[in-house]
Amino acid sequence: MANFHEALAKLKKEKHSFDKRRESFTAISTGSFVLDYLTGINGFPIGGISELAGDNSVGKTTICGNIIRNAQKMFPDKRILVVDAEQCWDLKYMEKLGVDFSGYGDTFLHFQEMIVEDVFQVIRQLGPTGEFSVIIVDSVGPLMPRVKFVGEDGANAIGLQARALTPEVAVAASICSKYDICGIFVNQFRAKLDFSRGGSGATKDVAGGNALKYYRLMSMWLERSTVMMEEALSEISLDDKVAKEIERVVIRANMYKNKCAPEGRKGKFVIKPGFGIDNVYTLIELAIKQGSISKSGNYFSIPDGTKIMGKENLWIDLSSKKELRDSVADSLGLKNFDRYCV
């Protein structure tokens, strides 16, 4: 019969990671105070993979840009890897979000792979170097297995993507855990047909099969809530016609899965197209709902007694004046709010 201490010593000599104890997760901020609260750890965790899923135009890539910016500040000596499977990343927009591209091609690597095997070959080769703080795959939906890419038209392709992703996602999760990487897989909703329970037959699900569901530490789902139009500020002349530009969009967020903190938290935040996450406008909406900002006619009164006419003027003043912004944030118990005002 084997001796326990001898067996344990042998395992340690072989460098098994069973004795790695994680007291808590270090996180990288999403750039939104609402989303950081929903995660329970102030951002997406380092040391595993997370899923960011949602409809189109709900800020998934914007959140990824914020995470990259914050990772570059937290870990200036590490690199960023982005696999742009959709081949649509707007690097100028990323610069507006504060992403540093001075090391493009070195400290910031941008691949445009669409084949499942090629995407994870990049991760397999670069991840174990220990040089990366963030790896982003944007997104799961367009990924296709090589057999589908080189196959004949009309060939049966049911379940090919899910079967190709299953072993690869497991390896990616292991790499992120071992080398302390924040891995993020962007995903989209799709309709899942199911008539087994007598319902309408269509439920909401994410692409890529079940592998990502098992290995993700977090899954955040995003959906559009409402669109706010500011007509006075957004009229555009197009061939003698007036079109109204979307000023802001309210997004609902749901922590669908969370292994780092209690799951099920829900909230709303505001995105301004071309600007990014509008934390000041989100703060205003929250303060009005909580009663910290009162409204009388078209005037808004903030906690320090200042009265401002019009919500847009209120947004301008809070964005530009730290003391006014702090009075509102403090009334809601939000500490260090300025770190969300980039």
Side-chain angles (χ1 to χ4, degrees):
M1 184 179 294
N3 180 278
F4 166 75
H5 295 288
E6 291 178 358
L8 183 61
K10 184 179 179 181
L11 286 173
K12 289 184 176 181
K13 188 176 180 180
E14 294 173 356
K15 297 182 180 179
H16 284 268
S17 58
F18 70 93
D19 60 346
K20 182 179 179 180
R21 182 177 178 181
R22 189 186 295 276
E23 298 290 346
S24 61
F25 284 91
T26 303
I28 301 177
S29 173
T30 63
S32 163
F33 71 92
V34 173
L35 299 185
D36 282 359
Y37 167 75
L38 297 186
T39 64
I41 58 172
N42 291 321
F44 280 99
I46 295 171
I49 60 175
S50 301
E51 180 184 49
L52 185 58
D55 298 317
N56 60 303
S57 300
V58 292
K60 301 187 295 295
T61 304
T62 296
I63 293 170
C64 289
N66 289 341
I67 290 173
I68 292 172
R69 178 194 69 222
N70 292 324
Q72 288 176 328
K73 293 178 181 178
M74 289 177 65
F75 309 103
D77 298 329
K78 289 204 169 187
R79 307 173 195 272
I80 306 293
L81 170 61
V82 174
V83 182
D84 178 16
E86 295 182 2
Q87 303 186 11
C88 64
W89 266 48
D90 185 348
L91 300 186
K92 289 186 178 180
Y93 176 59
M94 290 293 123
E95 281 187 316
K96 289 178 69 175
L97 295 178
V99 176
D100 180 12
F101 288 116
S102 60
Y104 188 85
D106 182 21
T107 57
F108 185 98
L109 299 181
H110 180 213
F111 288 83
Q112 293 183 310
E113 305 288 353
M114 294 184 65
I115 308 300
V116 171
E117 291 81 358
D118 293 343
V119 169
F120 287 94
Q121 182 185 16
V122 172
I123 296 175
R124 283 171 182 265
Q125 291 185 359
L126 295 179
T129 63
E131 293 283 330
F132 291 85
S133 59
V134 174
I135 294 178
I136 294 174
V137 177
D138 188 3
S139 62
V140 174
L143 297 181
M144 69 176 79
R146 190 180 305 280
V147 65
K148 182 178 179 181
F149 184 74
V150 301
E152 297 180 0
D153 291 341
N156 189 354
I158 296 175
L160 285 180
Q161 185 196 51
R163 291 201 300 270
L165 282 171
T166 297
E168 302 289 4
V169 170
V171 173
S174 177
I175 290 173
C176 289
S177 176
K178 186 174 182 179
Y179 298 99
D180 290 328
I181 300 170
C182 176
I184 298 175
F185 285 73
V186 179
N187 213 339
Q188 295 86 21
F189 292 145
R190 64 177 179 84
K192 181 179 181 181
L193 299 181
D194 183 6
F195 297 94
S196 61
R197 295 180 176 83
S200 62
T203 57
K204 188 171 288 187
D205 201 359
V206 290
N210 290 325
L212 190 56
K213 297 178 182 179
Y214 296 144
Y215 291 104
R216 64 196 179 187
L217 293 176
M218 283 187 182
S219 180
M220 181 182 288
W221 285 21
L222 306 176
E223 299 175 276
R224 276 196 176 209
S225 178
T226 56
V227 174
M228 292 181 280
M229 309 285 285
E230 301 290 344
E231 298 184 14
L233 299 175
S234 59
E235 292 187 351
I236 309 171
S237 178
L238 297 173
D239 298 328
D240 298 327
K241 296 180 181 180
V242 175
K244 292 181 175 62
E245 183 181 14
I246 295 176
E247 282 294 314
R248 293 180 180 89
V249 182
V250 180
I251 306 297
R252 291 195 303 267
N254 177 16
M255 284 306 302
Y256 189 76
K257 178 181 179 180
N258 194 344
K259 288 186 176 181
C260 307
E263 62 186 32
R265 291 180 176 180
K266 299 179 180 180
K268 294 182 179 180
F269 65 102
V270 178
I271 283 184
K272 187 173 183 179
F275 174 84
I277 294 175
D278 195 336
N279 282 300
V280 173
Y281 207 96
T282 306
L283 178 71
I284 292 171
E285 292 292 314
L286 181 62
I288 292 174
K289 184 177 180 180
Q290 297 292 333
S292 296
I293 294 179
S294 59
K295 181 180 179 183
S296 178
N298 199 31
Y299 283 87
F300 294 85
S301 299
I302 63 176
D304 71 349
T306 304
K307 291 186 177 182
I308 301 170
M309 185 177 71
K311 187 180 284 188
E312 195 65 25
N313 289 329
L314 176 61
W315 176 79
I316 292 171
D317 284 354
L318 291 187
S319 297
S320 59
K321 299 177 182 178
K322 182 180 183 301
E323 64 277 6
L324 298 183
R325 188 167 62 242
D326 286 346
S327 70
V328 177
D330 290 345
S331 70
L332 296 173
L334 298 174
K335 306 299 181 183
N336 301 320
F337 183 76
D338 271 1
R339 69 191 179 102
Y340 296 105
C341 301
V342 179

